[in-house]
Amino acid sequence: MHAEHSEMARFLAGHAPFNTLPLEALERLAGQIEVSYFKSGSKILEFGEPIADLYVVRSGAVELLRKSGELYNRLSVGGVFGQTGIMLNRRVRYPARALEDSLVYCIPLSYFEAYCDEYESFADYFEAEQEGILRHALSKELDRSDLSTVKVARCLHRPPLTISPDASVRSAAQIMTQEQVSALLVMEEPAASHAQHSAHQIQGIITDSDLRSRVLAEGLSHDVEVCNIMTPSPKVLDADSYLFEAMLTMLYENVHHLPVLSRGKLQGVLALSDIVQHESQNSLLYVREIFSYQNIDSLAKHAGRLPQVFQRLVNEDANSHMIGSAMSAISRSFCQQLLHLAEEALGAPPIPYCFLSLGSLAREEQTLVTDQDNALVLDDSYREDEHGSYFAKLGEFVCQGLARCGYPLCDGDIMAQNPKWRLTLSEWQAQFADWLSNPEPQALLNSSIFFDLEGVAGELTLAVELQSYLATEAPKHPRFLACLARNALNRTPPLGFFKEFVVEPDGAYRDTINLKRRGTAPLTDVIRVHALAIGSSERNSFRRLDDIAESDLLPEGKCLEITDALEYLSIIRVQHQAKALAQGKEANNQLNPKTLSAFERRSLKAAFQVIDNAQKFLKFRYTANQPIR
């Protein structure tokens, strides 16, 4: 053995985690190490570049930075870096630079992964470093994305401009032109300064779009008072909210301006252009364009760009909740525009109705690979002979339109075009009551779909009443919950007796695991049972987990484990789909675990083990005669 290699082995033996390795392993590793020299201030690693080595500081000092350039950590002799990037996607997560003249050992990725597999204590060091393997794998540091770290207040560039409700639209237009703004707040009464305005004083908002569509297009006099054409009681946002929250609010409310408050005091108005200026986010612009298309052909053509929007979200390191929320908001927008086009073609609806989204869309957990599940809630004044034809045509128009836009028809025909799923509010409540009282197999299957519901368009209070009914009634039916819990055990995680992956044995998907059917879906099923048991009205699985944690239904720490497992499985799933698109392949949920790194495989096993433990808890927690609380 060369003297140089012997010295390297001795050095490594004095620092964790290498001090856990046997001498033979250290000597073998020393023979593969390359030594690099970096001058003080020079860059060692750039954010996002491929990473093929684990790094150890031999002499000198190294700084690790966040994506934003802020200091993350300082390492002295013996410090190890690069493992987070190796773990996630083999790209640098934390840029590194030499704080002083430094020598760095570069350990090849292949040896790092082999030693993790071969020596448990070596692997445990990196897992424990991030408080557990899943938390490590997720890397939930705050620098994931500007959208999730930059606060709204940072994007306010001027004090808000206000106008009184009795001012003329001519005056409003003159102020907006002079000040070069696209919105004014309509305030109840004047104040000495904008900082003295409070939320309750905001009567409405007037935008340049209002001037076009509500004044010029309608031929109104320029002297009409702004209170007659403003949008009343606009949605407001707290200055401490993140840009991601502002983005979602704009997506769901289909607005481009949001008043911003700090401790109840008005700070300014955030415009869509402010977000675009800070960080161009395609999902925002993509939704905005959906509402500009006036026929299905144009919408279908626009839908062809959705894979690129999805890829950008994944590539910009958005977390699974951000991706699921954005993709769901896009689906929701397609539904809303198709309903608008349907009403233009068929005329105004004869009675109030609400279009329901079901399943992953209602939970805000959609990915690119999804079909459509939807239904209609009709006002109790519905009469089949008078109104049936209209809603049959409306349901078919929207469902076939969604199919044209890339959302396949549901194989189980759970869609608004099926008369079975066009019911009045009273009929839906009776249907829910029957499923709760008679948990037969089909009822359990239906409840796993229909009990995740959201009003997309129309009279949204109908959906709210249905959600409220379910949250109130479900906890009263322990037999139903017990049956639903048993049903949630049907889809088991793909782990064998010795905790090895159980893959498809043959066929087109040989050697793969379905990440939805064997991963996210069974975990979502578990979460749904707990949420119904405590009467949670939340739909999103992560928000349901927040309610479950507050209820003390699960042992301490279990909700966090389930949250991390769901996040990891979801992010691996979307990354797999995005990778397939980048390779010109069709996105799917079938993952070959051999394509993952050693750390990723260990993380995946850990996530599946969480599912297994969560399902075991269901077995004894829910019995037909056991009270929930």
Side-chain angles (χ1 to χ4, degrees):
M1 184 177 182
H2 295 298
E4 181 184 1
H5 293 165
S6 179
E7 192 279 330
M8 287 180 177
R10 285 196 300 272
F11 171 80
L12 292 176
H15 299 278
F18 307 97
N19 56 1
T20 65
L21 297 175
L23 179 60
E24 182 275 331
L26 287 172
E27 292 175 346
R28 187 168 72 248
L29 183 62
Q32 302 299 319
I33 289 176
E34 291 187 5
V35 183
S36 296
Y37 170 74
F38 297 92
K39 286 187 176 182
S40 175
S42 64
K43 295 179 180 179
I44 302 174
L45 297 174
E46 293 272 13
F47 178 82
E49 68 179 357
I51 185 168
D53 297 288
L54 179 73
Y55 298 88
V56 184
V57 181
R58 177 62 181 85
S59 65
V62 171
E63 281 187 330
L64 302 183
L65 308 173
R66 297 187 184 276
K67 178 182 176 182
S68 62
E70 298 174 358
L71 178 66
Y72 171 67
N73 199 6
R74 285 196 176 99
L75 302 175
S76 57
V77 174
V80 180
F81 61 100
Q83 64 270 30
T84 304
I86 293 173
M87 171 71 183
L88 289 175
N89 57 3
R90 300 195 183 184
R91 291 189 177 275
V92 173
R93 193 68 184 174
Y94 296 109
R97 69 185 177 198
L99 188 60
E100 53 189 71
D101 291 353
S102 302
L103 285 176
V104 176
Y105 287 170
C106 305
I107 298 174
L109 174 62
S110 59
Y111 271 76
F112 170 64
E113 293 188 331
Y115 277 29
C116 283
D117 281 342
E118 187 174 354
Y119 302 105
E120 192 76 18
S121 57
F122 183 77
D124 287 344
Y125 170 86
F126 297 101
E127 295 168 12
E129 185 186 55
Q130 295 290 334
E131 300 178 358
I133 189 168
L134 289 178
R135 194 140 290 263
H136 183 181
L138 295 175
S139 185
K140 290 200 171 188
E141 292 82 1
L142 292 177
D143 69 335
R144 294 192 72 98
S145 163
D146 280 351
L147 286 175
S148 62
T149 57
V150 175
K151 299 213 174 157
V152 165
R154 181 171 162 184
C155 293
L156 297 179
H157 304 301
R158 62 181 303 166
L161 294 175
T162 64
I163 193 168
S164 62
D166 57 358
S168 68
V169 296
R170 184 194 305 274
S171 299
Q174 289 172 341
I175 294 173
M176 292 164 72
T177 301
Q178 180 179 343
E179 299 293 336
Q180 296 184 336
V181 295
S182 56
L184 295 175
L185 290 178
V186 182
M187 304 298 293
E188 182 177 356
E189 56 188 32
S193 71
H194 73 276
Q196 296 178 358
H197 284 304
S198 57
H200 73 271
Q201 292 178 291
I202 303 176
Q203 282 197 350
I205 188 170
I206 178 174
T207 69
D208 51 7
S209 175
D210 296 327
L211 295 178
R212 292 193 306 271
S213 62
R214 299 177 181 177
V215 180
L216 294 178
E218 296 295 327
L220 297 182
S221 167
H222 294 174
D223 294 322
V224 68
E225 295 180 346
V226 296
C227 61
N228 293 317
I229 62 100
M230 70 181 183
T231 298
S233 305
K235 186 79 173 178
V236 299
L237 208 62
D238 190 271
D240 282 332
S241 300
Y242 293 104
L243 280 186
F244 171 61
E245 296 172 86
M247 180 189 80
L248 284 185
T249 301
M250 289 183 178
L251 285 171
Y252 279 109
E253 301 292 334
N254 190 28
V255 297
H256 300 153
H257 301 82
L258 293 170
V260 177
L261 308 175
S262 177
R263 297 183 179 179
K265 300 299 182 182
L266 181 63
Q267 300 299 306
V269 176
L270 182 74
L272 171 62
S273 57
D274 296 324
I275 298 180
V276 174
Q277 179 181 345
H278 179 81
E279 178 175 324
S280 180
Q281 187 58 247
N282 272 349
S283 54
L284 266 175
L285 305 179
Y286 187 84
V287 165
R288 184 179 184 181
E289 291 179 19
I290 288 174
F291 294 102
S292 70
Y293 294 117
Q294 298 304 311
N295 58 71
I296 294 179
D297 288 340
S298 298
L299 282 173
K301 183 177 180 181
H302 185 59
R305 291 173 44 209
L306 185 54
Q308 287 71 46
V309 177
F310 174 77
Q311 282 182 283
R312 176 163 181 165
L313 284 167
V314 176
N315 292 338
E316 290 186 349
D317 288 332
N319 62 36
S320 73
H321 180 50
M322 292 169 68
I323 295 170
S325 296
M327 295 298 288
S328 299
I330 290 169
S331 297
R332 189 173 185 264
S333 299
F334 274 114
C335 290
Q336 291 171 336
Q337 187 63 2
L338 286 166
L339 284 163
H340 170 71
L341 296 178
E343 290 186 12
E344 279 194 341
L346 301 173
I351 60 168
Y353 77 96
C354 181
F355 190 90
L356 292 181
S357 66
L358 309 169
S360 61
L361 172 52
R363 295 194 307 273
E364 301 174 23
E365 296 169 13
Q366 280 204 329
T367 67
L368 192 63
V369 182
T370 185
D371 61 1
Q372 54 174 297
D373 294 308
N374 47 61
L376 283 179
V377 185
L378 307 171
D379 186 80
D380 282 338
S381 62
Y382 174 79
R383 298 293 178 269
E384 173 64 26
D385 56 343
E386 296 180 34
H387 313 131
S389 175
Y390 179 92
F391 289 107
K393 293 176 182 176
L394 181 103
E396 183 174 5
F397 186 101
V398 175
C399 292
Q400 295 299 324
L402 286 172
R404 289 276 308 278
C405 292
Y407 299 93
L409 298 174
C410 174
D411 289 338
D413 206 17
I414 299 178
M415 293 177 291
Q417 68 179 27
N418 183 346
K420 184 178 181 180
W421 307 124
R422 296 196 300 269
L423 303 176
T424 66
L425 176 62
S426 296
E427 289 171 336
W428 275 115
Q429 290 173 338
Q431 180 67 85
F432 281 14
D434 181 61
W435 290 341
L436 291 169
S437 301
N438 303 289
E440 302 298 329
Q442 188 59 48
L444 294 171
L445 177 61
N446 288 337
S447 62
S448 67
I449 299 172
F450 286 90
F451 285 6
D452 296 344
L453 67 94
E454 178 199 24
V456 169
E459 188 60 52
L460 299 182
T461 55
L462 294 172
V464 173
E465 287 190 51
L466 202 53
Q467 291 166 339
S468 177
Y469 175 85
L470 183 61
T472 301
E473 293 299 315
K476 301 176 183 177
H477 292 77
R479 179 168 169 263
F480 167 81
L481 293 170
C483 292
L484 192 65
R486 286 198 298 270
N487 213 47
L489 306 178
N490 291 336
R491 294 188 282 197
T492 57
L495 289 179
F497 184 78
F498 295 104
K499 307 306 178 187
E500 293 302 314
F501 292 119
V502 177
V503 297
E504 297 288 343
D506 49 37
Y509 296 127
R510 181 179 178 181
D511 296 331
T512 67
I513 295 169
N514 189 300
L515 288 173
K516 177 181 179 181
R517 188 168 62 245
R518 306 296 297 275
T520 56
L523 205 49
T524 299
D525 290 342
V526 169
I527 295 168
R528 182 186 300 108
V529 175
H530 294 319
L532 290 171
I534 63 171
S536 171
S537 59
E538 293 289 354
R539 301 177 306 277
N540 177 261
S541 294
F542 291 104
R543 291 196 293 270
R544 282 175 167 174
L545 282 166
D546 290 338
D547 283 356
I548 295 166
E550 291 183 6
S551 74
D552 294 325
L553 180 66
L554 300 184
E556 185 176 357
K558 291 300 179 183
C559 278
L560 183 59
E561 283 185 9
I562 295 174
T563 298
D564 286 348
L566 181 60
E567 172 67 18
Y568 186 70
L569 289 167
S570 300
I571 207 68
I572 286 289
R573 182 181 168 204
V574 297
Q575 287 176 349
H576 170 68
Q577 293 178 4
K579 183 178 179 180
L581 292 173
Q583 295 173 347
K585 301 176 182 178
E586 183 177 354
N588 60 42
N589 295 309
Q590 300 291 149
L591 173 73
N592 186 335
K594 292 181 180 178
T595 63
L596 301 176
S597 69
F599 257 128
E600 288 169 334
R601 289 194 298 273
R602 290 168 61 86
S603 301
L604 193 57
K605 289 179 182 179
F608 287 144
Q609 186 62 52
V610 170
I611 300 176
D612 185 61
N613 294 338
Q615 290 182 333
K616 288 176 181 176
F617 183 84
L618 287 182
K619 291 181 181 179
F620 74 84
R621 183 62 185 84
Y622 295 97
T623 61
N625 299 313
Q626 181 177 350
I628 302 306
R629 293 180 184 272

